[in-house]
Amino acid sequence: MKSWYGYLFGGFLVLFAFTLFWIALSSATSTMEGMQRVAMPGTAEVALPAGPSTLYLETKSKIGDRVIDSGDGAFDVHCRLAGLELDKPASHVSYSLAGYSGHNLFAVVVDAGGKYQLTCESDGGKPFAIAIGAGVGAWIVIAVLAVLPLLGGLALLIVTFVRRRRRGGGASAASAR
C-alpha cells in the first residue's frame, strides 16, 4: 500500500467527521429553534401531535421577543397535562445551544393530536419555559459520535506520518523518485 493512501483516507475521515458534526449541530439547533414553547409558571394551551412527544424544561429560552433566564435551574417543577399522563423520560437529554438551555422533563404519548391544557408550577415561582418536540437527543448523540471518525482519521494521519518518516519517505525521498 502506498503511504499517501494513509494521508488520503485519514484526511477523508477527518473531513467526514467535521461534516457529520456540522450537520448534527445545525440539525439540533434547527430542531430546538422550531419547538413549540410556552412561558411558565402558569397554564397554557399546547398543540400536541399524535404519537410521542417530549416536554423539555428550559431555564434559558426565547419565546418571541421574550427572553427567559432563570439562572442555574436548580428548582423543582410540577406539571399536569389535562387528560394525559406525563411519564419520566427513558433517557436523560440536556442541551445548551443557540440561546437555549434545558433538559427533557416528561415524555407523553398522545392517541389523537389536538390542543391540551398544560399547567406547570415551580418552587418560588421562578420563570421557565416548556418546549415541546422530539429528536434533540438523537442529533446530540450523532454530534458526539462524530468524534470517532475524527480520532480514527487523526490516528491514521499520525501513523502514516511516523511510518513515512521512519522509512525516509518524507519530502526529500519522494522528490528523489
Side-chain angles (χ1 to χ4, degrees):
M1 177 167 110
K2 295 195 185 253
S3 61
W4 59 270
Y5 286 147
Y7 286 129
L8 186 64
F9 190 60
F12 170 77
L13 285 174
V14 169
L15 182 62
F16 174 75
F18 277 113
T19 302
L20 183 62
F21 179 78
W22 179 255
I23 289 169
L25 189 64
S26 61
S27 295
T29 301
S30 176
T31 300
M32 273 189 267
E33 289 174 342
M35 287 194 289
Q36 174 186 187
R37 287 181 171 75
V38 291
M40 293 290 168
T43 299
E45 186 174 77
V46 295
L48 296 175
S53 290
T54 303
L55 277 65
Y56 298 89
L57 167 67
E58 291 186 340
T59 54
K60 290 185 181 167
S61 189
K62 297 178 276 191
I63 303 173
D65 291 337
R66 181 177 178 191
V67 174
I68 296 172
D69 188 349
S70 54
D72 64 0
F75 54 91
D76 287 328
V77 172
H78 308 281
C79 295
R80 302 185 302 284
L81 193 57
L84 297 172
E85 185 175 334
L86 294 173
D87 298 316
K88 291 288 180 194
S91 61
H92 180 75
V93 173
S94 60
Y95 54 87
S96 186
L97 184 65
Y100 301 98
S101 290
H103 66 275
N104 57 340
L105 185 64
F106 297 111
V108 63
V109 177
V110 178
D111 291 330
K115 296 191 179 203
Y116 297 88
Q117 290 294 318
L118 174 67
T119 302
C120 294
E121 300 301 324
S122 66
D123 291 349
K126 279 194 167 188
F128 61 96
I130 294 291
I132 301 165
V136 173
W139 287 117
I140 292 171
V141 168
I142 291 170
V144 169
L145 289 178
V147 78
L148 296 175
L150 175 67
L151 293 176
L154 290 174
L156 186 56
L157 289 171
I158 291 168
V159 166
T160 301
F161 177 77
V162 169
R163 284 185 178 171
R164 281 182 58 94
R165 190 132 192 184
R166 283 187 185 156
R167 278 190 282 165
S172 60
S175 62
R177 290 183 193 167

